[in-house]
Amino acid sequence: HVQLVESGGGSVQAGGSLRLSCAVAGYTSRSNCLGWFRRTDEQEREGLAAIVIRDGRTYTADSVAGRFTISRDNAKNTVYLQMNRLKPEDTAMYYCAAALGMRWATLLSADYHYWGQGTQVTVS
């Protein structure tokens, strides 16, 4: 059973930065893709960035490209989302997710099998 635990959310002023972490447990294969998503009460789940664990290929949504960067530390089984120049509209619950057996970086939520509980980001 795959478990994902997000951390690093919080409150920040507009223009500030946060780094979210997602600790992953329960699998050893690197043939997976991990992604970050967010959701608000007004908006459906939005894919932000994804990374292929094996080779580090990434895919970042246009809406956050240039401000958000996904990375991974395979030794720590952790994926990060560095968020810079945050805006009030970035306020949301942020989730990481795992797509098992996925060989490319995908932002389609339907491709993902396991989800974390989320971490709240509030930008004022």
Side-chain angles (χ1 to χ4, degrees):
H1 182 65
V2 178
Q3 293 181 311
L4 304 103
V5 179
E6 303 97 334
S7 61
S11 297
V12 64
Q13 291 187 336
S17 298
L18 283 174
R19 188 177 79 158
L20 305 183
S21 299
C22 175
V24 186
Y27 71 83
T28 56
S29 171
R30 293 187 177 180
S31 298
N32 302 303
C33 171
L34 294 176
W36 284 99
F37 295 78
R38 66 185 178 189
R39 185 170 61 188
T40 66
D41 290 339
E42 294 78 25
Q43 187 176 3
E44 292 293 322
R45 188 179 290 160
E46 177 188 10
L48 302 174
I51 187 166
V52 178
I53 298 303
R54 181 180 295 277
D55 58 19
R57 282 178 293 158
T58 63
Y59 179 43
T60 304
D62 290 343
S63 60
V64 298
R67 296 192 301 124
F68 290 12
T69 303
I70 190 170
S71 62
R72 95 269 197 226
D73 184 332
N74 287 347
K76 296 182 179 180
N77 285 338
T78 301
V79 174
Y80 304 97
L81 185 67
Q82 178 67 43
M83 305 186 296
N84 298 327
R85 302 195 306 277
L86 284 161
K87 306 173 182 179
E89 51 264 44
D90 293 318
T91 295
M93 184 70 79
Y94 284 69
Y95 301 87
C96 70
L100 304 186
M102 183 63 66
R103 294 176 292 175
W104 56 85
T106 174
L107 293 183
L108 295 176
S109 60
D111 289 336
Y112 287 81
H113 305 90
Y114 294 96
W115 295 81
Q117 293 298 307
T119 185
Q120 177 69 37
V121 172
T122 302
V123 185
S124 59

